[in-house]
Amino acid sequence: MGALALTSKEKYRAPFEPVMAGVQFIEFGNLEAAQSVIQQGKTAAVFVEPVQGEGGIFRAMDSFLKGLRESCDEAGTLLVFDEVQCGLGRTGQLWAHEAYDVQPDMMTIAKPLAGGLPIGAVLVKEEVASTIEFGDHGSTFAGGPVVCHAALAVLDHIQKPGFLDRVAKNGQLLQSLLRAKLGSNPHVKAIRGIGLIVGIELDVSATPLVKSALKKGLLILTAGAGNIVRLVPPLIISEQEIRSGVDILCECISSLD
């Protein structure tokens, strides 16, 4: 109920309401609006993704995250980064927030941590950890021995020399190919991302493109209001697979006409 309360899309919350009260949503990147509601003694925590996934593949501005850090420090409020989708090497760095030189008080990670097996974890600063007693924090998918062994293997692989450099390089290749081959298409409004989390913003629903690509063996997702193609390929993807995927997108783009 807490996680659902922090999810802005009503279609996810509505079937389970009432959820946890006391949550207020602020426009992503609007520092002035955020500062107006972060109040000492009234705001427990600020949750934000350094790079939005479901929201549409939007990177936070450096000034936005640094401004949130300053406001949270002034108010005695915790700053929490959601890196479930953008963390663990996805951006070409181990953590997405490393690109901003801003440290959170807490950070949530999950999906990629055990290579697809169900696991979730919360990383906290020492001053936060010191306030947690045994039994305060529980999780359905957390510290099982099988998934923890898988998580250690994933972390070992991600931190091998050169691995993250290849992720960053392949991300640049993906965006450059998309811009060269799809950038002039009238339906494409923007291509953006970092590392291997890339979004193609369209002027129409992306669903026909998703269905057409699936028939040719390419799995892609939508994001935002359904008009954004979300590309989050495996971090071990090869250059040839990237080129093949972009070629399929080029073949299928006519499905939007």
Side-chain angles (χ1 to χ4, degrees):
M1 295 301 100
L4 277 172
L6 293 168
T7 300
S8 62
K9 287 192 175 180
E10 187 176 354
K11 69 177 182 180
Y12 295 132
R13 289 199 322 272
F16 300 96
E17 290 179 341
V19 293
M20 182 181 71
V23 174
Q24 186 168 350
F25 296 105
I26 300 298
E27 180 187 12
F28 186 69
N30 190 334
L31 181 59
E32 185 177 346
Q35 291 172 330
S36 69
V37 299
I38 299 174
Q39 299 181 39
Q40 187 171 7
K42 293 186 177 181
T43 308
V46 174
F47 287 74
V48 63
E49 291 176 281
V51 182
Q52 285 190 328
E54 181 72 19
I57 322 299
F58 290 100
R59 290 182 63 181
M61 295 289 290
D62 187 80
S63 57
F64 178 58
L65 292 188
K66 288 185 176 179
L68 288 180
R69 177 72 278 174
E70 292 173 1
S71 295
C72 287
D73 288 342
E74 291 173 2
T77 295
L78 294 176
L79 179 60
V80 186
F81 285 169
D82 172 359
E83 294 218 13
V84 168
Q85 190 164 152
C86 63
L88 284 165
R90 175 59 55 185
T91 63
Q93 293 178 280
L94 185 58
W95 306 116
H97 71 265
E98 290 183 62
Y100 298 93
D101 193 28
V102 176
Q103 293 290 325
D105 300 300
M106 302 174 65
M107 183 167 65
T108 59
I109 58 176
K111 291 183 176 74
L113 179 57
L117 293 178
I119 190 173
V122 179
L123 307 183
V124 300
K125 284 185 174 179
E126 181 57 38
E127 51 263 43
V128 177
S130 65
T131 69
I132 301 174
E133 303 290 343
F134 287 108
D136 284 350
H137 174 70
S139 173
T140 305
F141 297 136
V146 174
V147 293
C148 283
H149 192 77
L152 289 172
V154 168
L155 288 169
D156 285 343
H157 195 81
I158 287 177
Q159 295 180 89
K160 285 182 178 178
F163 182 85
L164 291 175
D165 290 337
R166 287 194 297 275
V167 172
K169 180 181 176 182
N170 282 337
Q172 292 172 354
L173 173 65
L174 176 57
Q175 286 199 57
S176 65
L177 288 173
L178 289 171
R179 290 195 174 95
K181 297 190 174 187
L182 292 178
S184 60
N185 187 281
H187 291 299
V188 176
K189 296 177 62 179
I191 297 170
R192 57 178 174 265
I194 177 174
L196 288 175
I197 178 168
V198 176
I200 306 171
E201 185 174 349
L202 306 173
D203 64 351
V204 293
S205 169
T207 299
L209 181 56
V210 171
K211 292 181 177 179
S212 180
L214 178 59
K215 292 178 181 178
K216 291 185 176 292
L218 179 66
L219 294 170
I220 55 178
L221 296 169
T222 63
N227 66 317
I228 295 170
V229 177
R230 177 171 28 173
L231 303 176
V232 282
L235 302 186
I236 57 172
I237 194 170
S238 67
E239 287 189 16
Q240 182 54 49
E241 287 168 330
I242 290 173
R243 294 181 187 278
S244 297
V246 173
D247 287 343
I248 291 175
L249 284 173
C250 292
E251 294 171 19
C252 297
I253 196 75
S254 61
S255 64
L256 300 175
D257 295 332

